[in-house]
Amino acid sequence: MKSPETLPGGLASAGFCILLWGCQVGEPTFMGGPCPEPPADGRALLPESVGTRVAPRDAQERSGAEPEYIPYDTPPALLNQDDVVDLLNCFYPEQLREDKVGGRVELWLYVGEEGSVASSEVKTSSGHAELDRAAVSVAYYMHFKPATDNGTPGPVWVSQWLTFEAR
């Protein structure tokens, strides 16, 4: 199998960047209320080392062992960007925020045919394992309009950048 970086169709080009400007005063909130806990259903058991796949077993079986090119003519589109920005703020490690340490994490996301993220792994580390784990947690709250191929929704792997920046 080809590595994802060399796959046809620009697999990585389907991704986009979400930037958090960590300038919020006071406690972070999510949709006007308290921040949620990272997902506890096994999908976001945070890896201790960068590069560990975090996914439910069935997603791994459906999507294969590695990110791979899956044909599509319309990429997935993020539907809840405002929520994702709030969650980046919620999950930003407090000590790194206080120390004004930021970073950019690139994730591989397996977006299912219904638009939810079924699998996530760190493709490019921020250099800070805590930020990488926070990005993986945020990924499972993302919801997309599914990718389509000839008008039929289907699962795809996409590259997604998440940026933490304290100011």
Side-chain angles (χ1 to χ4, degrees):
M1 182 181 90
K2 295 181 182 179
S3 73
E5 290 82 4
T6 61
L7 292 171
L11 177 66
S13 68
F16 43 93
C17 180
I18 296 175
L19 176 66
L20 164 70
W21 297 100
C23 58
Q24 181 170 334
V25 177
E27 291 294 315
T29 61
F30 177 64
M31 297 175 65
C35 289
E37 292 294 319
D41 63 359
R43 292 190 299 177
L45 295 175
L46 302 179
E48 291 302 317
S49 62
V50 172
T52 301
R53 176 176 302 281
V54 179
R57 185 179 313 266
D58 64 330
Q60 289 179 6
E61 291 167 1
R62 281 194 320 267
S63 64
E66 299 291 329
E68 59 186 316
Y69 176 73
I70 300 171
Y72 61 88
D73 51 33
T74 304
L78 184 64
L79 298 174
N80 65 335
Q81 184 167 346
D82 291 341
D83 294 343
V84 170
V85 171
D86 283 350
L87 287 163
L88 283 165
N89 205 18
C90 283
F91 294 154
Y92 199 149
E94 188 175 338
Q95 189 61 54
L96 293 178
R97 181 195 315 268
E98 288 174 8
D99 293 344
K100 298 194 184 318
V101 173
R104 190 170 184 220
V105 182
E106 184 180 14
L107 300 174
W108 280 122
L109 302 178
Y110 182 74
V111 179
E113 63 187 43
E114 73 292 337
S116 63
V117 174
S119 181
S120 175
E121 69 177 75
V122 174
K123 178 182 177 191
T124 306
S125 172
S126 66
H128 299 280
E130 292 171 315
L131 290 179
D132 296 343
R133 289 191 297 269
V136 167
S137 290
V138 169
Y140 291 104
Y141 287 95
M142 299 172 97
H143 190 72
F144 293 84
K145 178 178 178 184
T148 60
D149 189 34
N150 293 319
T152 304
V156 293
W157 281 99
V158 294
S159 171
Q160 173 68 61
W161 285 97
L162 296 175
T163 303
F164 296 88
E165 186 172 319
R167 290 191 169 212

